Amino acid sequence: RAELLPLPDRVGGRAMPAVEVIDMREELGAGNRSMFSRRLHAALAERLERGEQSVLLLNRRGYSTFVMCRSCGYTAGCPHCDISLTFHQKSRMLRCHYCGHAERTPETCPSCASEHIRYFGTGTQKVEEELAKLFPGIRVIRMDVDTTSEKGSHEKLLTAFGQRKADVLLGTQMVAKGLDFPYVTLVGVIAADTSLHLPDFRAAEKTFQLLTQVAGRAGRHELPGEVVVQTYSPEHYSVQTAKRHDYESFVREELRQRRVLSYPPFCRLVLITLSHEQLPLLVSTGERFAEELRKAAAEEGLLAPLEAGGERALELLGPVASPIPRLKDRYRFQCMIKYRGRIDAAALVRKAMAPFTDRASQDGVLFAVDVDPQVIL
C-alpha cells in the first residue's frame, strides 16, 4: 500500500485561504441570473474599496460558447469539425478553437432567416464586459489565448498587474499557477464545472488540481486571502476536498473510483485513433482492426476482464466515435486497450496493424497510437 507524502508547508508558514463554495442553482432560484453570485459580487466590491486586487478564473475563452437561433434551434457549427463555433466580441467573428476556421457572425439565421440570433454560455470576453457594467471604472487585464498570442505579451500583462495598473486579472488556466502578487486577496472561480464533466477519467483530478492551484494565488503575503468557487456541482468530492485543501481525502476517493472502474494506476491504457474523410470506410476499417487486435490478444491468452483479478488481463473497448467525432474534415474513431501485468501491448498493436499497412497508405486511413494517453478527447 502506497504512503501519501506529506504536503509541504506554505511559504512563510502562512495559512491557506478560506474557500467558500457557492451553489449557483440556489443563486438562480433566488432570482440572480448574473454570472456572478451575490457573494462574489460583494467580495469584488470589498477589494475595490480597499484597493486590493483579485484574480478571476474562467477556463473558457471567447465571448459566448455557442450561437443559436431561438426560432428553429440552429447552432453555428464548424464546417470542418463536429464542434460549435465560439463568438468573439472584439472581432465580431465566430471561431473554431480546434482548426482555426473563422467566419462572420450571421445577422439572420442561415437555416430559417429569423433575426432571433442569441449568444449562449460565458467566455472571458463576456466576463470582462460584465465587470465593466457592474463596476464602472474597474481596471481589468484579460489573459487568454487571444490576448497573449504576441511574443512577450505574458510578461507585459503580468508586469502591469504587478505594478497595480489593474484591479482584476481575468483569465483561463494560465492564471491558475505560478503567480505571486502581494495585493491579491481574492480569487474567484466563475465556473468550476467547466472541466468537471468532460468525457475523461481524469476530469475530477484536473478539476481538483485547477481549484487548488488557483486558490493558492490568494493571500500569499501579509494580507489574508479568500476564495469563492461557483459551481452547479457543489457536492462533488473534487470541489469539497479542494474547499478544505484536503489532498489526502481527494486522493483516497479518486483512487477508490479508479479501482472500481479499472483505470490507471490500476491498469495501463493504449489509445488508438483512426481518422479518414469518408465515414463508411473508417467504420469498416475500425471494426476490422479491432477484430485483428482481439484475435492477437486471444492467441496470447490475454483477453480477460480486468476486474477478474488475474495477474495478466487485457480488455478492448471500441471501436467507437471519438468524443470529438470530426476534426479538420476527418472523421475519428478510437479503440482503447486496458491491460494489467507484463504485457507487450505495443507488439499486439503492431501485429494487429500489419494487415492495414499497405491499405492505410492506399485508402488514407491514419492510425495514431498513444501509450498512456494524457488526453482521450
Side-chain angles (χ1 to χ4, degrees), residues 26-63:
E26 294 182 358
E27 291 292 309
L28 185 61
N32 179 18
R33 285 174 167 75
S34 167
M35 67 181 70
F36 298 106
S37 63
R38 291 164 294 179
R39 179 68 199 106
L40 182 54
H41 183 282
L44 284 167
E46 291 169 11
R47 268 62 188 185
L48 289 171
E49 186 177 340
R50 299 202 298 251
E52 297 169 4
Q53 293 177 298
S54 305
V55 171
L56 294 180
L57 169 71
L58 176 66
N59 205 22
R60 186 186 290 150
R61 63 191 175 106
Y63 184 87

Short mmCIF file of all heavy atoms in Angstrom, two decimals, residues 26-63:
data_model
loop_
_atom_site.label_atom_id
_atom_site.label_comp_id
_atom_site.label_asym_id
_atom_site.label_seq_id
_atom_site.Cartn_x
_atom_site.Cartn_y
_atom_site.Cartn_z
N GLU A 26 -28.84 27.59 -6.37
CA GLU A 26 -29.53 28.40 -5.37
C GLU A 26 -29.58 29.86 -5.79
O GLU A 26 -30.55 30.57 -5.52
CB GLU A 26 -28.86 28.25 -4.01
CG GLU A 26 -28.96 26.84 -3.42
CD GLU A 26 -28.31 26.75 -2.06
OE1 GLU A 26 -27.74 27.78 -1.60
OE2 GLU A 26 -28.36 25.66 -1.45
N GLU A 27 -28.50 30.33 -6.43
CA GLU A 27 -28.48 31.70 -6.93
C GLU A 27 -29.59 31.91 -7.95
O GLU A 27 -30.30 32.92 -7.92
CB GLU A 27 -27.12 32.02 -7.55
CG GLU A 27 -25.98 32.10 -6.57
CD GLU A 27 -26.08 33.29 -5.63
OE1 GLU A 27 -26.27 34.42 -6.12
OE2 GLU A 27 -26.00 33.08 -4.41
N LEU A 28 -29.73 30.95 -8.85
CA LEU A 28 -30.78 31.05 -9.87
C LEU A 28 -32.15 31.01 -9.22
O LEU A 28 -33.06 31.77 -9.59
CB LEU A 28 -30.64 29.90 -10.87
CG LEU A 28 -31.58 29.92 -12.08
CD1 LEU A 28 -31.34 31.18 -12.91
CD2 LEU A 28 -31.37 28.68 -12.94
N GLY A 29 -32.31 30.13 -8.21
CA GLY A 29 -33.58 30.05 -7.50
C GLY A 29 -33.94 31.33 -6.77
O GLY A 29 -35.12 31.63 -6.57
N ALA A 30 -32.90 32.08 -6.38
CA ALA A 30 -33.13 33.35 -5.67
C ALA A 30 -33.32 34.52 -6.63
O ALA A 30 -33.45 35.67 -6.19
CB ALA A 30 -31.96 33.63 -4.73
N GLY A 31 -33.34 34.21 -7.93
CA GLY A 31 -33.58 35.26 -8.91
C GLY A 31 -32.33 35.93 -9.45
O GLY A 31 -32.42 36.90 -10.21
N ASN A 32 -31.16 35.44 -9.07
CA ASN A 32 -29.91 36.02 -9.57
C ASN A 32 -29.50 35.32 -10.86
O ASN A 32 -29.06 34.17 -10.85
CB ASN A 32 -28.80 35.87 -8.51
CG ASN A 32 -27.48 36.44 -8.99
OD1 ASN A 32 -27.43 37.22 -9.93
ND2 ASN A 32 -26.40 36.04 -8.33
N ARG A 33 -29.63 36.00 -11.97
CA ARG A 33 -29.27 35.44 -13.27
C ARG A 33 -27.93 35.94 -13.78
O ARG A 33 -27.55 35.70 -14.92
CB ARG A 33 -30.38 35.73 -14.30
CG ARG A 33 -31.61 34.87 -14.09
CD ARG A 33 -32.75 35.26 -15.00
NE ARG A 33 -33.79 34.24 -15.01
CZ ARG A 33 -34.65 34.02 -14.03
NH1 ARG A 33 -34.59 34.76 -12.92
NH2 ARG A 33 -35.56 33.06 -14.12
N SER A 34 -27.21 36.63 -12.93
CA SER A 34 -25.90 37.13 -13.30
C SER A 34 -24.89 35.98 -13.27
O SER A 34 -25.10 34.95 -12.62
CB SER A 34 -25.46 38.22 -12.32
OG SER A 34 -24.09 38.51 -12.45
N MET A 35 -23.77 36.15 -13.98
CA MET A 35 -22.69 35.16 -13.92
C MET A 35 -21.94 35.25 -12.60
O MET A 35 -21.15 34.36 -12.27
CB MET A 35 -21.72 35.37 -15.08
CG MET A 35 -20.94 36.66 -15.01
SD MET A 35 -19.84 36.88 -16.43
CE MET A 35 -21.02 37.15 -17.75
N PHE A 36 -22.19 36.33 -11.82
CA PHE A 36 -21.54 36.50 -10.53
C PHE A 36 -22.54 36.21 -9.41
O PHE A 36 -23.64 36.79 -9.38
CB PHE A 36 -21.00 37.92 -10.36
CG PHE A 36 -19.94 38.28 -11.36
CD1 PHE A 36 -20.22 39.13 -12.42
CD2 PHE A 36 -18.66 37.77 -11.26
CE1 PHE A 36 -19.26 39.47 -13.35
CE2 PHE A 36 -17.68 38.10 -12.18
CZ PHE A 36 -17.98 38.95 -13.22
N SER A 37 -22.17 35.34 -8.50
CA SER A 37 -23.01 35.11 -7.33
C SER A 37 -23.02 36.37 -6.47
O SER A 37 -22.15 37.25 -6.61
CB SER A 37 -22.47 33.94 -6.52
OG SER A 37 -21.16 34.23 -6.03
N ARG A 38 -23.98 36.46 -5.58
CA ARG A 38 -24.05 37.62 -4.70
C ARG A 38 -22.80 37.74 -3.83
O ARG A 38 -22.29 38.83 -3.59
CB ARG A 38 -25.31 37.53 -3.83
CG ARG A 38 -26.60 37.71 -4.61
CD ARG A 38 -27.81 37.24 -3.85
NE ARG A 38 -27.78 35.78 -3.62
CZ ARG A 38 -28.72 35.11 -2.96
NH1 ARG A 38 -29.76 35.76 -2.47
NH2 ARG A 38 -28.62 33.80 -2.82
N ARG A 39 -22.27 36.59 -3.39
CA ARG A 39 -21.08 36.61 -2.54
C ARG A 39 -19.85 37.09 -3.31
O ARG A 39 -19.06 37.89 -2.80
CB ARG A 39 -20.80 35.21 -1.97
CG ARG A 39 -19.56 35.15 -1.09
CD ARG A 39 -19.77 35.95 0.21
NE ARG A 39 -18.53 36.30 0.85
CZ ARG A 39 -18.00 37.53 0.87
NH1 ARG A 39 -18.61 38.54 0.26
NH2 ARG A 39 -16.88 37.76 1.49
N LEU A 40 -19.68 36.61 -4.55
CA LEU A 40 -18.52 37.04 -5.33
C LEU A 40 -18.64 38.51 -5.70
O LEU A 40 -17.63 39.24 -5.69
CB LEU A 40 -18.40 36.18 -6.60
CG LEU A 40 -17.19 36.48 -7.49
CD1 LEU A 40 -15.88 36.40 -6.71
CD2 LEU A 40 -17.15 35.51 -8.68
N HIS A 41 -19.84 38.96 -6.01
CA HIS A 41 -20.06 40.38 -6.32
C HIS A 41 -19.66 41.24 -5.13
O HIS A 41 -18.93 42.24 -5.27
CB HIS A 41 -21.52 40.61 -6.69
CG HIS A 41 -21.84 42.01 -7.10
ND1 HIS A 41 -22.00 43.04 -6.18
CD2 HIS A 41 -22.01 42.59 -8.32
CE1 HIS A 41 -22.28 44.16 -6.81
NE2 HIS A 41 -22.28 43.91 -8.12
N ALA A 42 -20.09 40.84 -3.93
CA ALA A 42 -19.77 41.62 -2.72
C ALA A 42 -18.27 41.59 -2.44
O ALA A 42 -17.69 42.61 -2.04
CB ALA A 42 -20.55 41.07 -1.54
N ALA A 43 -17.65 40.42 -2.65
CA ALA A 43 -16.21 40.29 -2.39
C ALA A 43 -15.40 41.17 -3.33
O ALA A 43 -14.41 41.79 -2.93
CB ALA A 43 -15.79 38.83 -2.51
N LEU A 44 -15.81 41.24 -4.60
CA LEU A 44 -15.12 42.10 -5.55
C LEU A 44 -15.27 43.57 -5.15
O LEU A 44 -14.30 44.34 -5.22
CB LEU A 44 -15.69 41.89 -6.96
CG LEU A 44 -15.26 40.62 -7.68
CD1 LEU A 44 -16.13 40.37 -8.91
CD2 LEU A 44 -13.79 40.69 -8.09
N ALA A 45 -16.47 43.94 -4.72
CA ALA A 45 -16.70 45.32 -4.30
C ALA A 45 -15.83 45.68 -3.10
O ALA A 45 -15.29 46.79 -3.01
CB ALA A 45 -18.18 45.52 -3.97
N GLU A 46 -15.67 44.75 -2.17
CA GLU A 46 -14.83 44.98 -0.99
C GLU A 46 -13.38 45.22 -1.39
O GLU A 46 -12.71 46.11 -0.86
CB GLU A 46 -14.91 43.76 -0.05
CG GLU A 46 -16.26 43.59 0.63
CD GLU A 46 -16.37 42.23 1.32
OE1 GLU A 46 -15.33 41.53 1.45
OE2 GLU A 46 -17.49 41.86 1.72
N ARG A 47 -12.87 44.43 -2.34
CA ARG A 47 -11.47 44.61 -2.77
C ARG A 47 -11.27 45.93 -3.48
O ARG A 47 -10.25 46.60 -3.30
CB ARG A 47 -11.05 43.45 -3.69
CG ARG A 47 -10.43 42.29 -2.96
CD ARG A 47 -11.37 41.66 -1.97
NE ARG A 47 -10.77 40.66 -1.13
CZ ARG A 47 -11.48 39.93 -0.27
NH1 ARG A 47 -12.80 40.11 -0.16
NH2 ARG A 47 -10.88 39.06 0.51
N LEU A 48 -12.24 46.34 -4.28
CA LEU A 48 -12.13 47.62 -4.96
C LEU A 48 -12.10 48.77 -3.95
O LEU A 48 -11.33 49.73 -4.10
CB LEU A 48 -13.30 47.80 -5.93
CG LEU A 48 -13.28 46.92 -7.19
CD1 LEU A 48 -14.59 47.04 -7.94
CD2 LEU A 48 -12.10 47.28 -8.09
N GLU A 49 -12.92 48.65 -2.92
CA GLU A 49 -12.98 49.69 -1.90
C GLU A 49 -11.67 49.77 -1.12
O GLU A 49 -11.22 50.87 -0.75
CB GLU A 49 -14.16 49.40 -0.95
CG GLU A 49 -14.40 50.49 0.07
CD GLU A 49 -15.62 50.20 0.93
OE1 GLU A 49 -16.46 49.38 0.51
OE2 GLU A 49 -15.71 50.78 2.02
N ARG A 50 -11.05 48.61 -0.88
CA ARG A 50 -9.82 48.58 -0.08
C ARG A 50 -8.56 48.75 -0.92
O ARG A 50 -7.45 48.78 -0.39
CB ARG A 50 -9.72 47.26 0.69
CG ARG A 50 -10.86 47.02 1.67
CD ARG A 50 -10.47 46.04 2.75
NE ARG A 50 -10.13 44.72 2.23
CZ ARG A 50 -10.90 43.64 2.39
NH1 ARG A 50 -12.06 43.74 3.04
NH2 ARG A 50 -10.52 42.48 1.93
N GLY A 51 -8.71 48.82 -2.24
CA GLY A 51 -7.54 48.98 -3.10
C GLY A 51 -6.74 47.71 -3.25
O GLY A 51 -5.54 47.76 -3.59
N GLU A 52 -7.36 46.55 -3.02
CA GLU A 52 -6.68 45.27 -3.19
C GLU A 52 -7.02 44.68 -4.56
O GLU A 52 -7.89 45.18 -5.27
CB GLU A 52 -7.08 44.32 -2.05
CG GLU A 52 -6.66 44.84 -0.69
CD GLU A 52 -7.26 44.06 0.47
OE1 GLU A 52 -7.96 43.05 0.21
OE2 GLU A 52 -7.04 44.43 1.64
N GLN A 53 -6.35 43.60 -4.91
CA GLN A 53 -6.51 43.02 -6.24
C GLN A 53 -7.18 41.65 -6.18
O GLN A 53 -7.16 40.97 -5.15
CB GLN A 53 -5.15 42.89 -6.93
CG GLN A 53 -4.50 44.23 -7.25
CD GLN A 53 -3.13 44.05 -7.87
OE1 GLN A 53 -2.22 43.51 -7.23
NE2 GLN A 53 -2.96 44.50 -9.10
N SER A 54 -7.76 41.25 -7.33
CA SER A 54 -8.47 39.98 -7.42
C SER A 54 -8.03 39.23 -8.67
O SER A 54 -7.62 39.84 -9.67
CB SER A 54 -9.99 40.21 -7.48
OG SER A 54 -10.44 40.99 -6.39
N VAL A 55 -8.13 37.92 -8.61
CA VAL A 55 -7.89 37.06 -9.76
C VAL A 55 -9.17 36.29 -10.03
O VAL A 55 -9.74 35.68 -9.12
CB VAL A 55 -6.73 36.07 -9.51
CG1 VAL A 55 -6.65 35.04 -10.64
CG2 VAL A 55 -5.42 36.82 -9.39
N LEU A 56 -9.65 36.33 -11.28
CA LEU A 56 -10.85 35.60 -11.67
C LEU A 56 -10.47 34.55 -12.72
O LEU A 56 -9.81 34.87 -13.72
CB LEU A 56 -11.91 36.54 -12.24
CG LEU A 56 -12.54 37.54 -11.27
CD1 LEU A 56 -13.58 38.40 -11.99
CD2 LEU A 56 -13.19 36.83 -10.08
N LEU A 57 -10.91 33.32 -12.49
CA LEU A 57 -10.61 32.23 -13.40
C LEU A 57 -11.87 31.77 -14.11
O LEU A 57 -12.89 31.47 -13.48
CB LEU A 57 -10.00 31.05 -12.63
CG LEU A 57 -9.88 29.72 -13.40
CD1 LEU A 57 -8.78 29.83 -14.45
CD2 LEU A 57 -9.59 28.56 -12.46
N LEU A 58 -11.79 31.71 -15.43
CA LEU A 58 -12.83 31.07 -16.23
C LEU A 58 -12.10 30.33 -17.34
O LEU A 58 -11.50 30.95 -18.21
CB LEU A 58 -13.81 32.08 -16.84
CG LEU A 58 -14.87 31.47 -17.77
CD1 LEU A 58 -15.81 30.56 -16.98
CD2 LEU A 58 -15.67 32.53 -18.48
N ASN A 59 -12.14 29.02 -17.30
CA ASN A 59 -11.33 28.23 -18.24
C ASN A 59 -12.04 28.09 -19.59
O ASN A 59 -12.29 26.99 -20.07
CB ASN A 59 -11.04 26.85 -17.64
CG ASN A 59 -9.78 26.26 -18.23
OD1 ASN A 59 -8.94 26.99 -18.74
ND2 ASN A 59 -9.65 24.96 -18.20
N ARG A 60 -12.39 29.24 -20.15
CA ARG A 60 -13.12 29.24 -21.42
C ARG A 60 -12.96 30.62 -22.05
O ARG A 60 -13.42 31.61 -21.49
CB ARG A 60 -14.60 28.95 -21.17
CG ARG A 60 -15.43 28.79 -22.42
CD ARG A 60 -16.89 28.65 -22.06
NE ARG A 60 -17.18 27.40 -21.41
CZ ARG A 60 -18.14 27.23 -20.51
NH1 ARG A 60 -18.86 28.25 -20.12
NH2 ARG A 60 -18.37 26.04 -19.99
N ARG A 61 -12.28 30.67 -23.21
CA ARG A 61 -12.06 31.98 -23.83
C ARG A 61 -13.19 32.32 -24.80
O ARG A 61 -14.07 31.50 -25.05
CB ARG A 61 -10.71 32.01 -24.55
CG ARG A 61 -10.56 31.04 -25.72
CD ARG A 61 -9.10 30.98 -26.15
NE ARG A 61 -8.90 29.98 -27.20
CZ ARG A 61 -8.70 30.25 -28.46
NH1 ARG A 61 -8.73 31.51 -28.87
NH2 ARG A 61 -8.49 29.29 -29.34
N GLY A 62 -13.14 33.52 -25.33
CA GLY A 62 -14.19 33.96 -26.23
C GLY A 62 -15.27 34.72 -25.46
O GLY A 62 -15.17 34.99 -24.28
N TYR A 63 -16.34 35.08 -26.19
CA TYR A 63 -17.43 35.84 -25.59
C TYR A 63 -18.59 34.92 -25.21
O TYR A 63 -19.08 34.93 -24.09
CB TYR A 63 -17.92 36.92 -26.58
CG TYR A 63 -18.98 37.83 -26.02
CD1 TYR A 63 -18.63 38.97 -25.29
CD2 TYR A 63 -20.33 37.57 -26.20
CE1 TYR A 63 -19.60 39.80 -24.77
CE2 TYR A 63 -21.30 38.40 -25.70
CZ TYR A 63 -20.94 39.52 -24.98
OH TYR A 63 -21.89 40.34 -24.46
#
